[in-house]
């Protein structure tokens, strides 16, 4: 995956949109997945973590915000939730089932979103979906293990945490005060 900010004519700064060209290639036309930022706050606590999204995330939902919940009886989110998670962003650990299963279990319990924290496996660039599992309409992201462990420990100690998950820009020097035009091109070998 690549993101390139194409040069623009300085005399047209306010008139012409910046061009952000994103392309992906692969045997099965991989989708472009944006990175996410997690901001967690609580009494005397503030943290920001990086995360990646799932290829199955709803494209028009930029993120989610709400109370962070953790179910110690369902730590990896692979079973239906019995505790109250409605309206919450649910923290679960990687492993035991597909990322999409975890997301559907949270969605079926009326959860607002899912933060999956990595286990001892290598961190992924995105979470792939599975064709025979329904596509969720809530946001699901994956973050590093130590980030999830930190949030989990705070919750297990009885801290109330609020979380905001949002997509980040692909290019750091992109001026968000200027119009942005996005071109996406896919190469699909026959």
């Amino acid at each position: 995956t690549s993101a390139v900010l194409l040069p623009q004519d300085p005399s047209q700064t306010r008139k012409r949109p910046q061009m952000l060209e994103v392309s992906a290639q692969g045997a099965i036309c991989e989708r472009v997945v944006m990175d996410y930022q997690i901001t967690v706050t609580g009494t005397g606590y503030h943290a920001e973590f990086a995360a990646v999204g799932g290829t199955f995330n709803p494209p028009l939902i930029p993120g989610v915000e709400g109370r962070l919940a953790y179910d110690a009886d369902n730590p990896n989110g692979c079973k239906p939730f019995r505790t109250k998670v409605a309206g919450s962003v649910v923290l679960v650990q990687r492993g035991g089932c597909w990322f999409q299963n975890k997301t559907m279990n949270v969605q079926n319990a009326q959860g607002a979103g899912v933060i999956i924290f990595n286990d001892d496996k290598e961190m992924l660039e995105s979470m792939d979906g599975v064709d025979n599992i329904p596509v969720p309409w809530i946001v699901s992201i994956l973050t590093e293990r130590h980030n999830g462990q930190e949030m989990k420990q705070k919750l297990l100690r009885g801290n109330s945490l609020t979380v905001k998950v949002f997509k980040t820009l692909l290019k750091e020097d992109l001026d968000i005060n200027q119009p942005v035009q996005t071109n996406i091109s896919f190469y699909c070998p026959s």
Side-chain angles (χ1 to χ4, degrees), residues 92-150:
V92 298
Q93 185 166 349
R94 180 180 178 183
C97 63
W98 297 105
F99 296 120
Q100 208 164 327
N101 285 116
K102 298 170 187 292
T103 306
M104 289 304 299
N105 285 337
V106 171
Q107 178 178 299
N108 291 339
Q110 276 79 54
V114 185
I115 297 174
I116 301 168
F117 64 95
N118 206 14
D119 52 14
D120 56 358
K121 293 179 184 73
E122 185 176 336
M123 186 65 180
L124 302 172
E125 290 184 16
S126 71
M127 297 181 294
D128 288 331
V130 179
D131 289 339
N132 62 350
I133 299 174
V135 177
W137 47 264
I138 63 173
V139 173
S140 178
I141 60 166
L142 175 70
T143 191
E144 294 281 358
R145 178 183 180 141
H146 62 274
N147 299 338
Q149 290 287 4
E150 184 176 320

